[in-house]
Amino acid sequence: MSEIIEGSTGTGADEQGANELASRRPSILIAGAGATGGAFGSYLLEAGRDVTFLLREAKAQRIRAEGLRFVSPGNDRTNTVEVVTASELAEGARTYDLVLVAVKAGGLESVLTDIRPAVGEGTRIIPFLNGMAQIDRLQADYPGQVLGGLVKIVGTIDGDAVHQLTDMAVMTIGDLSEGEVPTDVAAVLDVPGFRLQVIDDITDGLWEKWIFIAAAGVVTCLFRAPVGAIMSAGGHDHVLRIIDELEAVAAAAGHAVSEKSHAATVSMLTGEGSSFTSSLYRDVTAGLPSEAEHILGDLSRKARDLGVDTPLLDLTLVQLRAGEALRRP
């Protein structure tokens, strides 16, 4: 299944950071080797960065034996990579300079436990997940050590092989308090293969991404169809109401969606003849574990805390939760 992850815009690493990086080799732990972790981790490894992947036992054994295959446009290679499991991390005494969390929401709880031995006082953590729950959790556990991150890539997994399907690959990072990203962090992530952007308003970017993904999930899951079919059935005005409802939550939280992002969301979710569906819809209709609670449930809870009514979001959650209950043994 392909995964599209939205990013933002900004500027890159500076010369000071590059000079600091030259004097040492920061260590990077990447939790996950899926479409996100596998692709960006491969580029970092190929640029000579000190990269270790945190993987489950079975996958760790396979990757150790066979390497990590990464297929990008015009290039198919298999890299020998450093791998560690949670038990090995717990038994060791090594902490890392940078921890990148690149798992889906279903793996967040276990990863929060797994990475603890790897986090020292100077470790910086960047989660690349949808929504904001991971930010709240990590900031509570590691105050002052968490940065915001967005990625934009189109990728898929075939077995353990990572496939990047287009040339688009962007990583956007920023300080959650609108301060400066440490220069050594920006420098170590600035490598060939993908574009690094460092921005001041990363929290606004995270909210915009969350609202778009939530709106796409509500639209396609509530109406159980691709966008084009929803438009043909007369759903245009209902989709606009969904978008307005969710964007009102962001505005109440102090992170109003920009006009550019609003226009892009409307265009994507009202396209005549469009075959677009959300990843949430695809997971639900395939009977797979989904990020419904992480994306929609958490947004509903925030809306209640902020006093914002979200009837269409809540209706969608009822439908998804009822369906999940029926699927349980």
Side-chain angles (χ1 to χ4, degrees), residues 7-10 126 128 148-152 170-174 195-199 202:
S8 186
T9 59
I126 309 178
F128 296 116
L150 305 167
V151 291
K152 189 173 183 179
V170 183
M171 178 186 290
T172 304
I173 61 173
R195 182 159 56 99
L196 177 71
Q197 299 176 143
V198 181
I199 64 174
I202 191 67

Side-chain angles (χ1 to χ4, degrees), residues 39 51 54 84-85 107 125 128 175 177 190 193 196 201 213 236 242 246 265-266 289:
V51 175
L54 172 60
V84 67
T85 64
I125 308 166
F128 296 116
D175 187 270
S177 301
D190 194 3
L196 177 71
D201 55 349
I213 291 173
H236 182 275
I242 289 168
L246 301 189
T265 299
V266 171

